[in-house]
Coordinates of all heavy atoms in Angstrom, one line a residue:
C1 N -10.5 -7.5 -0.1 CA -9.7 -7.0 0.9 C -9.8 -7.8 2.2 O -10.9 -8.3 2.6 CB -10.2 -5.6 1.2 SG -9.3 -4.7 2.4
I2 N -8.7 -8.1 2.7 CA -8.6 -8.9 3.9 C -8.5 -8.0 5.1 O -7.6 -7.1 5.2 CB -7.4 -9.8 3.9 CG1 -7.3 -10.7 2.7 CG2 -7.3 -10.7 5.2 CD1 -8.2 -11.8 2.6
H3 N -9.4 -8.1 6.1 CA -9.4 -7.2 7.2 C -8.3 -7.6 8.2 O -7.8 -8.7 8.2 CB -10.7 -6.9 7.8 CG -11.3 -8.1 8.5 ND1 -10.9 -8.6 9.7 CD2 -12.4 -8.9 8.2 CE1 -11.6 -9.6 10.1 NE2 -12.5 -9.8 9.2
N4 N -8.0 -6.7 9.1 CA -6.9 -6.9 10.1 C -7.1 -8.1 11.0 O -6.1 -8.8 11.3 CB -6.6 -5.7 10.9 CG -6.0 -4.6 10.1 OD1 -5.3 -4.8 9.1 ND2 -6.2 -3.3 10.5
G5 N -8.3 -8.4 11.4 CA -8.6 -9.6 12.2 C -8.2 -10.8 11.5 O -7.6 -11.7 12.1
H6 N -8.5 -10.9 10.2 CA -8.1 -12.1 9.4 C -6.6 -12.2 9.3 O -6.0 -13.3 9.3 CB -8.8 -12.2 8.1 CG -10.3 -12.5 8.2 ND1 -11.2 -12.1 7.3 CD2 -10.9 -13.3 9.1 CE1 -12.4 -12.6 7.6 NE2 -12.3 -13.3 8.7
R7 N -6.0 -11.1 9.0 CA -4.5 -11.0 8.9 C -3.9 -11.5 10.2 O -2.9 -12.3 10.2 CB -4.0 -9.6 8.6 CG -4.3 -9.2 7.2 CD -3.8 -7.8 7.0 NE -4.2 -7.2 5.7 CZ -3.6 -7.4 4.6 NH1 -2.4 -8.0 4.6 NH2 -4.0 -6.9 3.5
L8 N -4.4 -11.2 11.4 CA -3.9 -11.6 12.6 C -4.0 -13.1 12.8 O -3.1 -13.8 13.3 CB -4.5 -10.9 13.8 CG -4.1 -9.5 14.0 CD1 -5.0 -8.8 15.0 CD2 -2.7 -9.3 14.4
L9 N -5.2 -13.7 12.4 CA -5.4 -15.1 12.4 C -4.4 -15.9 11.5 O -3.8 -16.9 11.9 CB -6.8 -15.5 12.0 CG -7.9 -15.2 13.0 CD1 -9.2 -15.5 12.3 CD2 -7.7 -16.1 14.2
L10 N -4.1 -15.3 10.3 CA -3.2 -15.9 9.4 C -1.8 -15.9 10.0 O -1.0 -16.9 10.0 CB -3.2 -15.2 8.1 CG -4.5 -15.4 7.3 CD1 -4.4 -14.5 6.0 CD2 -4.7 -16.8 6.9
A11 N -1.4 -14.8 10.6 CA -0.1 -14.6 11.2 C 0.1 -15.6 12.4 O 1.1 -16.2 12.5 CB 0.1 -13.2 11.7
Q12 N -1.0 -15.8 13.2 CA -0.9 -16.7 14.3 C -0.7 -18.1 13.8 O 0.1 -18.9 14.3 CB -2.2 -16.6 15.2 CG -2.2 -17.5 16.4 CD -1.2 -17.1 17.4 OE1 -1.0 -15.9 17.6 NE2 -0.5 -18.1 18.0
A13 N -1.5 -18.5 12.7 CA -1.4 -19.8 12.2 C 0.1 -20.1 11.7 O 0.6 -21.2 11.9 CB -2.4 -20.0 11.0
V14 N 0.7 -19.2 11.0 CA 2.0 -19.4 10.5 C 3.1 -19.4 11.6 O 4.1 -20.1 11.4 CB 2.4 -18.5 9.3 CG1 1.5 -18.7 8.1 CG2 2.5 -17.1 9.7
L15 N 2.8 -18.7 12.7 CA 3.7 -18.8 13.8 C 3.7 -20.2 14.4 O 4.8 -20.6 14.9 CB 3.4 -17.7 14.8 CG 3.7 -16.3 14.5 CD1 3.2 -15.3 15.5 CD2 5.3 -16.1 14.4
I16 N 2.6 -20.8 14.5 CA 2.4 -22.1 15.1 C 2.9 -23.2 14.2 O 3.5 -24.2 14.6 CB 1.0 -22.3 15.5 CG1 0.5 -21.3 16.6 CG2 0.7 -23.8 16.0 CD1 -1.0 -21.3 16.8
A17 N 2.6 -23.1 12.9 CA 2.9 -24.2 11.9 C 4.3 -24.4 11.7 O 5.1 -23.5 11.6 CB 2.2 -23.8 10.6
T18 N 4.6 -25.7 11.5 CA 6.0 -26.1 11.1 C 6.1 -26.7 9.7 O 7.1 -26.7 9.1 CB 6.6 -27.1 12.1 OG1 5.7 -28.2 12.2 CG2 6.7 -26.4 13.5
K19 N 4.9 -27.3 9.2 CA 4.9 -27.9 7.9 C 3.9 -27.4 7.0 O 4.1 -27.3 5.8 CB 4.8 -29.4 8.1 CG 5.9 -30.1 8.9 CD 5.6 -31.6 9.0 CE 6.7 -32.2 9.8 NZ 6.5 -33.6 10.1
R20 N 2.7 -27.1 7.5 CA 1.5 -26.9 6.6 C 0.5 -26.0 7.3 O 0.3 -26.1 8.6 CB 0.9 -28.2 6.3 CG -0.4 -28.1 5.5 CD -0.9 -29.5 5.2 NE -2.2 -29.5 4.6 CZ -3.2 -30.2 5.0 NH1 -3.1 -31.1 6.0 NH2 -4.4 -30.1 4.4
V21 N -0.1 -25.1 6.6 CA -1.3 -24.3 7.0 C -2.4 -24.6 6.1 O -2.2 -24.4 4.9 CB -0.9 -22.8 7.1 CG1 -2.2 -22.0 7.4 CG2 0.1 -22.6 8.2
L22 N -3.6 -24.9 6.6 CA -4.8 -25.1 5.8 C -5.7 -23.9 6.2 O -6.0 -23.7 7.4 CB -5.5 -26.4 6.1 CG -6.9 -26.6 5.6 CD1 -6.8 -26.7 4.1 CD2 -7.5 -27.8 6.2
V23 N -6.2 -23.2 5.2 CA -7.1 -22.1 5.4 C -8.3 -22.3 4.7 O -8.3 -22.5 3.4 CB -6.5 -20.7 5.0 CG1 -7.5 -19.6 5.2 CG2 -5.2 -20.5 5.7
G24 N -9.5 -22.4 5.4 CA -10.8 -22.5 4.7 C -11.4 -21.1 4.5 O -11.4 -20.3 5.5
I25 N -11.8 -20.8 3.3 CA -12.4 -19.5 3.0 C -13.9 -19.7 2.7 O -14.2 -20.5 1.8 CB -11.7 -18.8 1.8 CG1 -10.2 -18.6 2.2 CG2 -12.4 -17.5 1.5 CD1 -9.4 -17.9 1.1
A26 N -14.7 -19.0 3.5 CA -16.2 -19.2 3.4 C -16.6 -18.9 1.9 O -16.2 -17.9 1.3 CB -16.9 -18.3 4.3
D27 N -17.5 -19.8 1.5 CA -18.1 -19.6 0.1 C -19.5 -20.2 0.1 O -19.9 -20.9 1.1 CB -17.3 -20.3 -0.9 CG -17.5 -19.9 -2.3 OD1 -18.0 -18.8 -2.5 OD2 -17.3 -20.7 -3.3
G28 N -20.3 -19.8 -0.9 CA -21.7 -20.4 -1.0 C -22.5 -20.1 0.1 O -22.7 -19.0 0.6
P29 N -23.1 -21.2 0.7 CA -24.1 -21.1 1.8 C -23.6 -20.3 3.0 O -24.3 -19.7 3.8 CB -24.4 -22.5 2.2 CG -23.9 -23.4 1.1 CD -22.9 -22.6 0.3
L30 N -22.3 -20.4 3.3 CA -21.7 -19.7 4.4 C -21.8 -18.2 4.3 O -21.6 -17.4 5.3 CB -20.3 -20.1 4.7 CG -20.1 -21.5 5.2 CD1 -18.6 -21.9 5.4 CD2 -20.8 -21.8 6.5
L31 N -22.0 -17.7 3.1 CA -22.1 -16.3 2.8 C -23.5 -15.7 2.8 O -23.7 -14.5 2.7 CB -21.4 -15.9 1.5 CG -19.9 -16.3 1.4 CD1 -19.3 -15.9 0.1 CD2 -19.1 -15.6 2.5
T32 N -24.5 -16.5 2.8 CA -25.8 -16.1 2.5 C -26.4 -15.1 3.5 O -27.2 -14.2 3.2 CB -26.8 -17.3 2.4 OG1 -26.7 -18.0 3.6 CG2 -26.5 -18.1 1.2
N33 N -25.9 -15.1 4.8 CA -26.4 -14.2 5.8 C -25.5 -13.1 6.1 O -25.7 -12.3 7.1 CB -26.8 -15.0 7.1 CG -27.9 -15.9 6.9 OD1 -28.9 -15.6 6.1 ND2 -27.9 -17.1 7.5
K34 N -24.4 -12.9 5.3 CA -23.4 -11.9 5.5 C -24.0 -10.5 5.2 O -24.7 -10.4 4.2 CB -22.2 -12.1 4.7 CG -21.3 -13.3 5.1 CD -20.6 -13.0 6.3 CE -19.6 -14.1 6.6 NZ -18.9 -13.9 7.8
I35 N -23.7 -9.6 6.1 CA -24.1 -8.2 5.8 C -23.3 -7.7 4.7 O -22.0 -7.9 4.7 CB -24.0 -7.3 7.1 CG1 -24.9 -7.9 8.2 CG2 -24.2 -5.9 6.8 CD1 -24.7 -7.3 9.5
L36 N -23.9 -6.9 3.8 CA -23.2 -6.4 2.6 C -22.4 -7.5 1.8 O -21.3 -7.3 1.3 CB -22.2 -5.3 3.0 CG -22.8 -4.1 3.8 CD1 -21.7 -3.1 4.2 CD2 -23.8 -3.4 2.8
M37 N -23.1 -8.6 1.6 CA -22.5 -9.7 0.9 C -22.1 -9.3 -0.5 O -21.1 -9.8 -1.0 CB -23.6 -10.8 0.8 CG -23.0 -12.1 0.2 SD -24.2 -13.4 0.2 CE -24.8 -13.3 -1.4
E38 N -22.7 -8.3 -1.1 CA -22.4 -7.9 -2.4 C -21.0 -7.3 -2.5 O -20.4 -7.1 -3.6 CB -23.4 -6.9 -3.0 CG -23.6 -5.6 -2.2 CD -24.5 -5.7 -1.0 OE1 -25.0 -6.8 -0.7 OE2 -24.7 -4.7 -0.4
L39 N -20.4 -6.9 -1.4 CA -19.1 -6.3 -1.3 C -18.0 -7.4 -1.2 O -16.8 -7.0 -1.2 CB -19.0 -5.3 -0.2 CG -19.9 -4.1 -0.3 CD1 -19.7 -3.2 0.9 CD2 -19.7 -3.3 -1.6
I40 N -18.4 -8.6 -1.0 CA -17.4 -9.7 -0.8 C -16.8 -10.1 -2.1 O -17.6 -10.3 -3.1 CB -18.0 -10.9 -0.1 CG1 -18.5 -10.5 1.3 CG2 -17.0 -12.1 0.0 CD1 -19.2 -11.6 2.1
S41 N -15.5 -10.1 -2.2 CA -14.8 -10.4 -3.5 C -15.1 -11.9 -3.9 O -15.4 -12.7 -3.0 CB -13.3 -10.3 -3.3 OG -13.0 -8.9 -3.0
P42 N -15.0 -12.2 -5.2 CA -15.2 -13.6 -5.6 C -14.2 -14.5 -4.9 O -13.1 -14.1 -4.5 CB -14.9 -13.5 -7.1 CG -15.1 -12.1 -7.5 CD -14.7 -11.3 -6.3
I43 N -14.5 -15.7 -4.8 CA -13.7 -16.7 -4.1 C -12.3 -16.8 -4.6 O -11.3 -16.9 -3.9 CB -14.4 -18.1 -4.0 CG1 -13.6 -19.0 -3.0 CG2 -14.6 -18.7 -5.3 CD1 -13.7 -18.6 -1.6
E44 N -12.2 -16.8 -5.9 CA -10.8 -16.9 -6.6 C -9.9 -15.7 -6.1 O -8.7 -15.9 -5.8 CB -10.9 -16.9 -8.1 CG -11.7 -18.0 -8.7 CD -13.2 -17.8 -8.6 OE1 -13.7 -16.7 -8.3 OE2 -14.0 -18.8 -8.9
D45 N -10.5 -14.5 -6.0 CA -9.7 -13.4 -5.6 C -9.3 -13.5 -4.1 O -8.1 -13.2 -3.7 CB -10.5 -12.1 -5.7 CG -10.7 -11.7 -7.2 OD1 -10.1 -12.4 -8.1 OD2 -11.6 -10.8 -7.4
R46 N -10.2 -14.0 -3.3 CA -9.9 -14.2 -1.8 C -8.9 -15.3 -1.6 O -8.0 -15.1 -0.8 CB -11.2 -14.4 -1.1 CG -12.1 -13.2 -1.1 CD -13.4 -13.4 -0.3 NE -14.3 -14.2 -1.0 CZ -15.0 -15.2 -0.4 NH1 -14.9 -15.4 0.9 NH2 -15.8 -15.9 -1.1
V47 N -9.0 -16.4 -2.4 CA -8.0 -17.4 -2.2 C -6.6 -16.9 -2.6 O -5.6 -17.2 -2.0 CB -8.4 -18.7 -3.1 CG1 -7.2 -19.6 -3.3 CG2 -9.6 -19.4 -2.5
S48 N -6.5 -16.2 -3.7 CA -5.3 -15.6 -4.2 C -4.7 -14.7 -3.2 O -3.5 -14.7 -2.9 CB -5.5 -14.9 -5.5 OG -4.3 -14.3 -6.0
K49 N -5.5 -13.8 -2.6 CA -5.0 -12.8 -1.6 C -4.5 -13.5 -0.4 O -3.4 -13.2 0.1 CB -6.1 -11.8 -1.3 CG -5.7 -10.8 -0.3 CD -4.7 -9.8 -1.0 CE -4.4 -8.7 0.0 NZ -3.3 -7.9 -0.5
V50 N -5.2 -14.5 0.1 CA -4.8 -15.2 1.3 C -3.5 -16.0 1.1 O -2.6 -15.9 1.9 CB -5.9 -16.1 1.9 CG1 -5.3 -17.1 2.9 CG2 -7.0 -15.3 2.4
T51 N -3.4 -16.6 -0.1 CA -2.2 -17.3 -0.4 C -1.0 -16.4 -0.5 O 0.1 -16.7 0.0 CB -2.4 -18.1 -1.8 OG1 -3.5 -19.0 -1.7 CG2 -1.1 -18.8 -2.2
S52 N -1.2 -15.2 -1.1 CA -0.1 -14.2 -1.2 C 0.3 -13.8 0.2 O 1.5 -13.7 0.5 CB -0.6 -13.0 -2.0 OG 0.4 -12.0 -2.0
I53 N -0.6 -13.5 1.1 CA -0.3 -13.1 2.5 C 0.5 -14.2 3.2 O 1.6 -13.9 3.8 CB -1.5 -12.7 3.3 CG1 -2.2 -11.5 2.7 CG2 -1.2 -12.6 4.8 CD1 -3.6 -11.2 3.2
L54 N 0.1 -15.4 3.1 CA 0.8 -16.5 3.7 C 2.2 -16.7 3.2 O 3.2 -16.9 3.9 CB 0.0 -17.8 3.5 CG -1.3 -17.9 4.3 CD1 -2.1 -19.1 3.8 CD2 -1.1 -17.9 5.8
M55 N 2.4 -16.6 1.9 CA 3.7 -16.7 1.2 C 4.6 -15.6 1.7 O 5.8 -15.8 2.0 CB 3.6 -16.6 -0.3 CG 3.0 -17.9 -0.9 SD 4.0 -19.4 -0.6 CE 5.4 -19.0 -1.6
D56 N 4.1 -14.4 1.9 CA 4.9 -13.3 2.5 C 5.3 -13.5 3.9 O 6.4 -13.2 4.3 CB 4.1 -12.0 2.4 CG 4.0 -11.4 1.0 OD1 4.7 -11.8 0.1 OD2 3.1 -10.5 0.8
L57 N 4.4 -14.2 4.7 CA 4.7 -14.4 6.1 C 5.7 -15.6 6.3 O 6.5 -15.5 7.2 CB 3.4 -14.7 6.8 CG 2.4 -13.5 7.0 CD1 1.1 -14.0 7.5 CD2 3.0 -12.5 7.9
K58 N 5.5 -16.7 5.6 CA 6.3 -17.9 5.8 C 6.4 -18.7 4.6 O 5.6 -19.7 4.5 CB 5.7 -18.6 7.0 CG 6.7 -19.7 7.6 CD 6.2 -20.2 8.9 CE 7.1 -21.1 9.6 NZ 6.6 -21.6 10.9
P59 N 7.2 -18.4 3.6 CA 7.2 -19.0 2.3 C 7.8 -20.5 2.4 O 7.6 -21.2 1.4 CB 8.1 -18.1 1.5 CG 9.0 -17.4 2.5 CD 8.2 -17.3 3.7
D60 N 8.3 -20.9 3.5 CA 9.0 -22.2 3.5 C 8.1 -23.4 4.0 O 8.6 -24.5 4.1 CB 10.2 -22.2 4.3 CG 10.0 -21.7 5.8 OD1 9.0 -21.0 6.0 OD2 10.8 -22.1 6.7
I61 N 6.8 -23.1 4.1 CA 5.9 -24.2 4.5 C 4.8 -24.4 3.4 O 4.6 -23.5 2.6 CB 5.3 -24.1 5.9 CG1 4.4 -22.9 6.0 CG2 6.4 -24.1 7.0 CD1 3.6 -22.8 7.3
K62 N 4.1 -25.4 3.5 CA 3.0 -25.7 2.5 C 1.7 -25.0 2.9 O 1.3 -25.0 4.1 CB 2.8 -27.2 2.4 CG 1.7 -27.6 1.5 CD 1.5 -29.1 1.4 CE 0.4 -29.6 0.7 NZ -0.1 -29.7 -0.4
F63 N 1.0 -24.4 1.9 CA -0.3 -23.8 2.2 C -1.4 -24.4 1.4 O -1.2 -24.6 0.2 CB -0.2 -22.3 1.8 CG 0.8 -21.5 2.6 CD1 2.0 -21.0 2.0 CD2 0.7 -21.3 4.0 CE1 2.9 -20.3 2.7 CE2 1.6 -20.6 4.7 CZ 2.7 -20.1 4.1
D64 N -2.5 -24.7 2.0 CA -3.7 -25.2 1.3 C -4.7 -24.2 1.6 O -5.2 -24.0 2.8 CB -4.1 -26.6 1.8 CG -3.1 -27.7 1.4 OD1 -2.6 -27.6 0.2 OD2 -2.8 -28.5 2.2
V65 N -5.2 -23.4 0.6 CA -6.2 -22.4 0.8 C -7.4 -22.8 0.0 O -7.3 -22.9 -1.2 CB -5.7 -21.0 0.4 CG1 -6.8 -19.9 0.6 CG2 -4.4 -20.6 1.1
V66 N -8.5 -23.2 0.7 CA -9.6 -23.9 0.0 C -10.9 -23.2 0.3 O -11.1 -22.8 1.5 CB -9.7 -25.4 0.3 CG1 -8.4 -26.1 -0.1 CG2 -9.9 -25.6 1.8
P67 N -11.8 -23.2 -0.6 CA -13.2 -22.7 -0.3 C -13.9 -23.7 0.6 O -13.7 -24.9 0.4 CB -13.9 -22.6 -1.7 CG -12.8 -22.8 -2.7 CD -11.7 -23.4 -2.0
I68 N -14.7 -23.3 1.5 CA -15.5 -24.2 2.3 C -17.0 -23.7 2.2 O -17.3 -22.5 2.2 CB -15.0 -24.3 3.8 CG1 -15.1 -22.9 4.5 CG2 -13.7 -24.9 3.8 CD1 -14.8 -23.0 6.0
T69 N -17.9 -24.7 2.2 CA -19.3 -24.4 2.1 C -20.1 -24.8 3.4 O -21.3 -24.7 3.4 CB -19.9 -25.0 0.9 OG1 -19.7 -26.4 0.9 CG2 -19.3 -24.4 -0.4
D70 N -19.3 -25.3 4.4 CA -19.9 -25.7 5.7 C -18.9 -25.4 6.7 O -17.7 -25.1 6.4 CB -20.4 -27.1 5.7 CG -19.3 -28.1 5.6 OD1 -18.3 -28.0 6.2 OD2 -19.5 -29.1 4.8
V71 N -19.3 -25.4 8.0 CA -18.4 -25.0 9.1 C -17.2 -25.9 9.2 O -16.1 -25.5 9.6 CB -19.2 -24.9 10.4 CG1 -19.6 -26.2 10.9 CG2 -18.4 -24.2 11.4
Y72 N -17.3 -27.2 8.7 CA -16.3 -28.1 8.9 C -15.2 -28.1 7.8 O -14.0 -28.2 8.2 CB -16.8 -29.6 9.0 CG -17.9 -29.7 10.0 CD1 -19.2 -29.8 9.7 CD2 -17.5 -29.8 11.4 CE1 -20.2 -29.9 10.7 CE2 -18.5 -29.9 12.4 CZ -19.8 -29.9 12.0 OH -20.7 -30.1 13.0
G73 N -15.6 -27.9 6.6 CA -14.6 -28.0 5.5 C -13.7 -29.2 5.7 O -14.2 -30.2 6.1
P74 N -12.4 -29.1 5.3 CA -11.6 -30.3 5.4 C -11.2 -30.8 6.8 O -10.7 -31.9 7.0 CB -10.3 -29.9 4.7 CG -10.6 -28.6 3.9 CD -11.8 -28.0 4.6
T75 N -11.5 -29.9 7.8 CA -11.2 -30.3 9.2 C -11.9 -31.6 9.6 O -11.5 -32.3 10.5 CB -11.5 -29.2 10.2 OG1 -12.9 -28.9 10.2 CG2 -10.7 -28.0 9.8
A76 N -13.1 -31.9 8.9 CA -13.8 -33.1 9.3 C -13.2 -34.4 8.9 O -13.4 -35.4 9.5 CB -15.2 -33.0 8.7
W77 N -12.3 -34.3 7.9 CA -11.7 -35.6 7.4 C -10.2 -35.5 7.3 O -9.6 -36.6 7.1 CB -12.3 -35.9 6.0 CG -12.3 -34.8 5.0 CD1 -13.3 -34.0 4.7 CD2 -11.2 -34.4 4.2 NE1 -12.9 -33.1 3.8 CE2 -11.6 -33.3 3.4 CE3 -9.9 -34.9 4.0 CZ2 -10.8 -32.7 2.5 CZ3 -9.0 -34.2 3.1 CH2 -9.5 -33.1 2.4
D78 N -9.6 -34.4 7.4 CA -8.1 -34.3 7.3 C -7.5 -34.6 8.6 O -7.4 -33.7 9.5 CB -7.7 -32.9 6.8 CG -6.3 -32.8 6.5 OD1 -5.4 -33.6 7.0 OD2 -5.9 -31.9 5.7
D79 N -7.0 -35.8 8.8 CA -6.4 -36.3 10.1 C -5.0 -35.8 10.3 O -4.4 -36.0 11.4 CB -6.5 -37.8 10.2 CG -5.7 -38.5 9.2 OD1 -5.2 -37.9 8.3 OD2 -5.7 -39.8 9.2
Q80 N -4.5 -35.0 9.4 CA -3.1 -34.5 9.6 C -3.1 -33.1 10.3 O -2.1 -32.6 10.7 CB -2.4 -34.3 8.2 CG -2.1 -35.6 7.6 CD -1.4 -35.4 6.2 OE1 -0.9 -34.4 5.9 NE2 -1.3 -36.5 5.5
L81 N -4.3 -32.6 10.5 CA -4.4 -31.3 11.2 C -4.3 -31.5 12.7 O -4.9 -32.4 13.3 CB -5.8 -30.6 10.9 CG -6.1 -30.3 9.5 CD1 -7.5 -29.7 9.3 CD2 -5.0 -29.3 9.0
T82 N -3.4 -30.7 13.3 CA -3.2 -30.9 14.7 C -3.5 -29.6 15.6 O -3.5 -29.7 16.8 CB -1.7 -31.2 15.0 OG1 -0.9 -30.2 14.5 CG2 -1.3 -32.6 14.3
C83 N -3.9 -28.6 14.9 CA -4.2 -27.3 15.6 C -5.2 -26.5 14.8 O -5.2 -26.5 13.6 CB -2.9 -26.5 15.7 SG -3.1 -24.9 16.6
L84 N -6.1 -25.9 15.5 CA -7.1 -25.1 14.9 C -7.0 -23.7 15.5 O -7.1 -23.5 16.7 CB -8.5 -25.7 15.2 CG -9.7 -25.0 14.6 CD1 -9.7 -25.1 13.1 CD2 -11.0 -25.7 15.1
V85 N -6.9 -22.7 14.6 CA -6.8 -21.3 15.0 C -8.1 -20.6 14.8 O -8.5 -20.6 13.6 CB -5.6 -20.6 14.3 CG1 -5.5 -19.1 14.7 CG2 -4.3 -21.3 14.6
V86 N -8.7 -20.1 15.8 CA -10.0 -19.4 15.7 C -10.0 -18.1 16.3 O -9.1 -17.8 17.1 CB -11.2 -20.3 16.3 CG1 -11.3 -21.6 15.6 CG2 -11.0 -20.5 17.7
S87 N -11.0 -17.3 16.0 CA -11.2 -16.0 16.6 C -12.4 -16.1 17.5 O -13.2 -17.1 17.5 CB -11.5 -14.9 15.5 OG -12.7 -15.2 14.9
P88 N -12.7 -15.1 18.3 CA -13.9 -15.1 19.1 C -15.2 -15.3 18.2 O -16.1 -15.9 18.6 CB -13.9 -13.7 19.8 CG -12.5 -13.4 19.9 CD -11.9 -13.9 18.7
E89 N -15.1 -14.7 17.0 CA -16.3 -14.8 16.1 C -16.5 -16.2 15.6 O -17.6 -16.6 15.2 CB -16.2 -13.8 15.0 CG -16.3 -12.4 15.4 CD -15.0 -11.8 16.0 OE1 -13.9 -12.4 15.8 OE2 -15.1 -10.8 16.6
T90 N -15.4 -17.0 15.5 CA -15.4 -18.3 14.9 C -15.3 -19.4 15.9 O -15.2 -20.6 15.6 CB -14.4 -18.5 13.8 OG1 -13.1 -18.4 14.4 CG2 -14.6 -17.5 12.7
A91 N -15.3 -19.1 17.2 CA -15.1 -20.1 18.3 C -16.2 -21.1 18.3 O -15.9 -22.3 18.5 CB -15.0 -19.4 19.6
K92 N -17.4 -20.7 18.0 CA -18.5 -21.7 18.0 C -18.3 -22.8 17.0 O -18.5 -24.0 17.2 CB -19.9 -21.0 17.7 CG -20.5 -20.4 18.9 CD -21.9 -19.9 18.5 CE -22.6 -19.3 19.7 NZ -24.0 -18.8 19.3
G93 N -17.9 -22.3 15.8 CA -17.5 -23.3 14.7 C -16.4 -24.2 15.1 O -16.3 -25.3 14.8
G94 N -15.4 -23.6 15.8 CA -14.2 -24.4 16.3 C -14.7 -25.4 17.3 O -14.2 -26.6 17.2
D95 N -15.6 -25.1 18.1 CA -16.2 -26.1 19.1 C -16.9 -27.2 18.3 O -16.7 -28.4 18.7 CB -17.1 -25.4 20.0 CG -16.4 -24.5 21.0 OD1 -15.2 -24.6 21.2 OD2 -17.1 -23.6 21.6
K96 N -17.6 -26.9 17.3 CA -18.3 -27.9 16.5 C -17.3 -28.8 15.8 O -17.5 -30.0 15.8 CB -19.2 -27.3 15.4 CG -20.5 -26.7 16.0 CD -21.3 -26.1 14.8 CE -22.6 -25.6 15.3 NZ -23.5 -25.1 14.2
I97 N -16.3 -28.2 15.3 CA -15.2 -29.0 14.6 C -14.6 -30.0 15.6 O -14.4 -31.2 15.3 CB -14.2 -28.1 14.0 CG1 -14.8 -27.4 12.8 CG2 -12.9 -28.9 13.6 CD1 -13.9 -26.2 12.2
N98 N -14.2 -29.5 16.8 CA -13.6 -30.4 17.8 C -14.5 -31.5 18.2 O -14.1 -32.6 18.5 CB -13.2 -29.5 19.0 CG -11.9 -28.8 18.7 OD1 -11.1 -29.2 17.9 ND2 -11.7 -27.7 19.4
E99 N -15.8 -31.2 18.3 CA -16.8 -32.3 18.7 C -16.8 -33.3 17.6 O -16.9 -34.5 17.8 CB -18.2 -31.7 18.9 CG -18.3 -30.9 20.1 CD -19.6 -30.1 20.2 OE1 -20.6 -30.4 19.4 OE2 -19.7 -29.2 21.0
E100 N -16.8 -32.9 16.3 CA -16.8 -33.8 15.2 C -15.6 -34.7 15.1 O -15.6 -35.8 14.8 CB -17.0 -33.0 13.9 CG -17.0 -33.8 12.6 CD -18.3 -34.6 12.4 OE1 -19.3 -34.2 13.1 OE2 -18.3 -35.5 11.6
R101 N -14.5 -34.1 15.4 CA -13.2 -34.8 15.3 C -13.0 -35.7 16.5 O -12.4 -36.7 16.5 CB -12.0 -33.8 15.2 CG -12.0 -33.1 13.9 CD -10.8 -32.1 13.8 NE -9.5 -32.6 14.0 CZ -8.7 -33.0 13.0 NH1 -9.1 -32.9 11.7 NH2 -7.6 -33.5 13.2

């Protein structure tokens, strides 16, 4: 299940994007300290659900929905990314990404 905060982030991303949206979905070590981790769906289910939501929102652009196991994911090496959409909860990670880039 995708909560409303994540849905809002996805909606914001597709409003900004003109060609492509890259979504990193936490997996592995990023989940170890999550409360009620046992309730988190398998990564394949979460990737599928996010992809479906994005297709419903804006089917005419490219979507890359990938598991990430560290705060950077593909943002550390994908030089085609021009915008990062974060929430108050992920702002620290966004700051780290901007420092790395």
Side-chain angles (χ1 to χ4, degrees):
C1 182
I2 307 286
H3 67 71
N4 289 336
H6 286 153
R7 287 180 189 270
L8 288 171
L9 284 173
L10 295 172
Q12 183 66 40
V14 298
L15 283 172
I16 295 168
T18 57
K19 297 179 183 175
R20 174 181 172 228
V21 171
L22 169 69
V23 178
I25 300 181
D27 197 25
L30 290 179
L31 300 178
T32 56
N33 294 324
K34 291 284 185 180
I35 297 172
L36 300 175
M37 189 176 94
E38 62 276 6
L39 299 179
I40 297 174
S41 299
I43 188 67
E44 298 82 9
D45 295 348
R46 293 182 287 137
V47 167
S48 176
K49 182 66 175 173
V50 168
T51 302
S52 176
I53 291 169
L54 292 169
M55 289 297 293
D56 286 345
L57 290 171
K58 195 169 186 178
D60 58 334
I61 64 172
K62 179 178 169 69
F63 300 111
D64 293 318
V65 182
V66 299
I68 59 171
T69 56
D70 63 46
V71 69
Y72 303 105
T75 63
W77 51 263
D78 188 336
D79 61 357
Q80 293 182 13
L81 298 176
T82 58
C83 179
L84 185 63
V85 178
V86 298
S87 69
E89 292 80 16
T90 60
K92 277 187 181 180
D95 290 341
K96 285 183 178 182
I97 289 166
N98 281 333
E99 289 170 14
E100 179 73 17
R101 289 176 61 93

